[in-house]
Amino acid sequence: MKNEQLADIIIEKMGGKENILDAVNCMTRLRMHAANPEIIVQEDLKNTDGVLGLIVEDNYFQVVLGPGKAQKVAEIVAGKIAGAAPVQAADSGKSNLDGDWQANKQAVKGKQKKSGVKNFVNMIASIFIPMIPAIIAAGLFNGFGSLIGQLIADGNISGQFWTMTQLFFNLIGSAFLGYFAIYTGINAAKVFGATPAMGGMIGGISIGANIVEISTQLGLYNAEVPLQSILTTGKGGIIGVIFGVWLLAVIEKFIRKHTPDVLDLIVTPFCSLLITGLLMVFVIMPVAGFLSDWLVAGLSVIINSTNPVVSILSGYIMAAVFLPLVLLGLHHGLVPIYAIQLEQMGGVSLFPVLAMAGAGQVGAALALYFMARKVHNTKLQQIITGALPAGFLGVGEPLIYGVTLPLGKPFITAGLGAGFGGAYVMLTHVMANAWGPSGLVAVPLMQGTSGMLNFFIGLCIAYVMGFVITWLMMRPKDLINKE
């Protein structure tokens, strides 16, 4: 089915374009808020050809479409709903779903209480999700640029063509990662209700060259070890930018409320940026810098440990417990840590380790498939067959909510198997240029040929161990009538 047709069907099943308040995408999902969830035909929507799943939480609908397709369909839907008058929001309404993996996820989510932590995680997701395509693209360009540079240095390739290719790839990659703070400021401003361009300016302040001169004048700059300065360019990183833009939103709204309309265009932006800028440079950046330095130092004890036992244990534990974080919807809270690692360490070490969790699910599902075949559980076989391709590509929801979680024990064995892959990846110090899909499609995101190879080996280990542990801890009779 063409993307245009799929978008039209989704809009129709969602109750028409007037019922869709917004449409954005992450790596694999089209995310929409509905004005009135009662009128949405959920059963037809989740059974639409091309839809891998439907996840519902109050008036928030996530249609799983897979990598690539999610963004294309989201853009079409967003274009079609632009300017549509929204219908009146309903006071209540979760439609009931029948017994499949989407229903299982809705039931699990329905039992989870709203909390400050969950709201914070959703806020972080809203800031970073729109940047995921650029993060992945920049990571790939930097990765390939670095690979070409390594091949040139080793004498394997030479010539102006390869030199120009490396320069061009690095140019594209740095066009995002070099100004990551500015993009974060713009998106954070949209989330907090500040002027987006002014949010970008707060991000720009944090990476401005004049920060070093200001710090030197005040005696806060350590010329011998710049990164240990109380105040220097980039100090505080993404944490500082997000908090600074939140403060900007508060100040901007206050000033605008108390400024005459005739002076608003001049007074509000000038005063908002003056006050926020002073607080950003002299308070937020030093404090946030201390926090981010402390976080990176703590992670480095584990990540850069020369003790193989520490690496193996830490990698195993992190990969093994990641699935419960996904289950609770807290995994987006790790994105700022990814960003801090990328800024300060030049790569992300947590993402490759945690990505093993999805591979453990695949291995467990394969074991369950062969057991289901022994006891002639054709429905479970069909569910696994339909979900496995997405699992290999890093879309884990169908396997989690349709296979391992309903059966209980396989959800645990999948994590136990994933831990072995995480241990290997941590032991071999795999670093990623970015974060994104967690399956086979993540291989090109790893740094260097050895990083790609070791990440792939880690995936294979997680596949195998997820299979073996599930095979040992489950029995075919456990799947009789488990439909």
Side-chain angles (χ1 to χ4, degrees):
M1 182 184 299
K2 294 183 178 180
N3 294 330
E4 185 83 25
Q5 294 174 304
L6 181 56
D8 288 335
I9 293 175
I10 290 174
I11 292 173
E12 176 189 352
K13 304 305 180 186
M14 285 289 294
K17 60 184 181 180
E18 297 82 5
N19 195 40
I20 303 175
L21 300 179
D22 52 34
V24 296
N25 69 281
C26 60
M27 287 183 291
T28 60
R29 305 176 188 179
L30 164 62
R31 298 166 177 258
M32 298 170 287
H33 284 93
N36 184 0
E38 295 281 3
I39 65 175
I40 296 174
V41 189
Q42 296 187 31
E43 192 66 31
D44 290 350
L45 180 58
K46 71 183 180 183
N47 290 326
T48 299
D49 185 26
V51 173
L52 301 177
L54 175 65
I55 301 150
V56 182
E57 187 175 354
D58 296 328
N59 71 327
Y60 191 36
F61 288 74
Q62 301 178 54
V63 183
V64 182
L65 300 174
K69 184 174 285 290
Q71 180 173 359
K72 294 177 182 178
V73 174
E75 291 174 351
I76 297 172
V77 173
K80 290 178 179 291
I81 67 173
V87 301
Q88 184 176 359
D91 292 332
S92 62
K94 279 190 179 180
S95 300
N96 291 324
L97 297 176
D98 293 328
D100 56 13
W101 77 265
Q102 295 95 337
N104 294 333
K105 178 157 190 175
Q106 186 182 7
V108 172
K109 293 294 182 182
K111 295 177 182 178
Q112 296 174 5
K113 296 180 179 180
K114 298 290 184 180
S115 65
V117 174
K118 188 69 178 290
N119 291 334
F120 173 78
V121 170
N122 289 338
M123 177 199 71
I124 293 297
S126 299
I127 293 173
F128 287 99
I129 281 175
M131 295 191 287
I132 286 177
I135 290 171
I136 294 173
L140 288 173
F141 276 110
N142 281 344
F144 287 131
S146 176
L147 178 61
I148 292 172
Q150 182 179 336
L151 293 174
I152 292 175
D154 293 342
N156 295 314
I157 57 175
S158 61
Q160 187 178 20
F161 171 79
W162 289 112
T163 301
M164 289 296 295
T165 301
Q166 180 199 12
L167 291 173
F168 187 68
F169 277 20
N170 288 340
L171 173 66
I172 297 176
S174 63
F176 177 80
L177 295 178
Y179 304 97
F180 191 16
I182 296 176
Y183 293 110
T184 301
I186 293 172
N187 277 4
K190 294 177 181 178
V191 172
F192 297 136
T195 301
M198 289 166 59
M201 290 177 70
I202 295 300
I205 287 172
S206 72
I207 60 174
N210 285 343
I211 292 287
V212 173
E213 183 62 28
I214 293 172
S215 180
T216 302
Q217 293 290 330
L218 296 174
L220 303 176
Y221 187 70
N222 185 339
E224 295 182 359
V225 188
L227 292 178
Q228 293 183 6
S229 302
I230 296 175
L231 177 63
T232 187
T233 301
K235 198 71 172 179
I238 296 303
I239 293 177
V241 172
I242 292 175
F243 187 77
V245 175
W246 172 81
L247 189 61
L248 170 69
V250 173
I251 294 172
E252 182 182 1
K253 291 173 185 177
F254 177 84
I255 294 176
R256 176 164 285 119
K257 182 179 179 180
H258 295 86
T259 301
D261 293 345
V262 69
L263 299 175
D264 178 66
L265 192 59
I266 296 174
V267 172
T268 301
F270 180 82
C271 292
S272 299
L273 285 170
L274 176 61
I275 297 171
T276 308
L278 288 170
L279 292 172
M280 181 72 182
V281 173
F282 298 114
V283 180
I284 297 173
M285 288 180 64
V287 173
F290 172 79
L291 293 175
S292 60
D293 289 347
W294 174 81
L295 179 61
V296 170
L299 290 173
S300 296
V301 172
I302 300 173
I303 296 163
N304 299 325
S305 175
T306 57
N307 188 330
V309 176
V310 173
S311 296
I312 291 172
L313 287 177
S314 60
Y316 185 92
I317 292 171
M318 285 192 288
V321 303
F322 183 63
L323 283 177
L325 288 180
V326 176
L327 186 65
L328 295 172
L330 300 178
H331 55 297
H332 287 301
L334 296 170
V335 173
I337 299 178
Y338 295 163
I340 291 170
Q341 281 197 312
L342 189 60
E343 284 184 320
Q344 297 198 17
M345 301 174 62
V348 184
S349 63
L350 285 181
F351 167 67
V353 174
L354 301 179
M356 297 297 111
Q361 289 283 316
V362 171
L366 285 170
L368 293 172
Y369 176 85
F370 290 109
M371 291 183 184
R373 191 168 67 175
K374 284 187 176 182
V375 296
H376 308 292
N377 189 335
T378 56
K379 183 172 183 179
L380 183 57
Q381 286 180 264
Q382 291 172 354
I383 294 173
I384 294 173
T385 301
L388 271 177
F392 278 110
L393 297 177
V395 184
E397 288 89 350
L399 286 177
I400 294 174
Y401 294 97
V403 182
T404 61
L405 186 60
L407 292 172
K409 192 183 296 183
F411 184 73
I412 298 174
T413 61
L416 295 176
F420 287 92
Y424 178 82
V425 169
M426 183 66 80
L427 182 64
T428 53
H429 301 290
V430 176
M431 297 282 281
N433 289 303
W435 60 93
S438 62
L440 292 170
V441 291
V443 172
L445 294 177
M446 303 304 124
Q447 292 185 350
T449 53
S450 62
M452 296 181 190
L453 177 61
N454 284 324
F455 181 79
F456 177 74
I457 293 173
L459 287 176
C460 293
I461 291 173
Y463 293 150
V464 172
M465 295 309 297
F467 182 99
V468 170
I469 296 177
T470 303
W471 189 269
L472 293 175
M473 296 186 67
M474 292 288 291
R475 296 290 182 269
K477 65 180 182 179
D478 296 332
L479 304 183
I480 296 176
N481 297 323
K482 297 286 186 180
E483 301 189 4

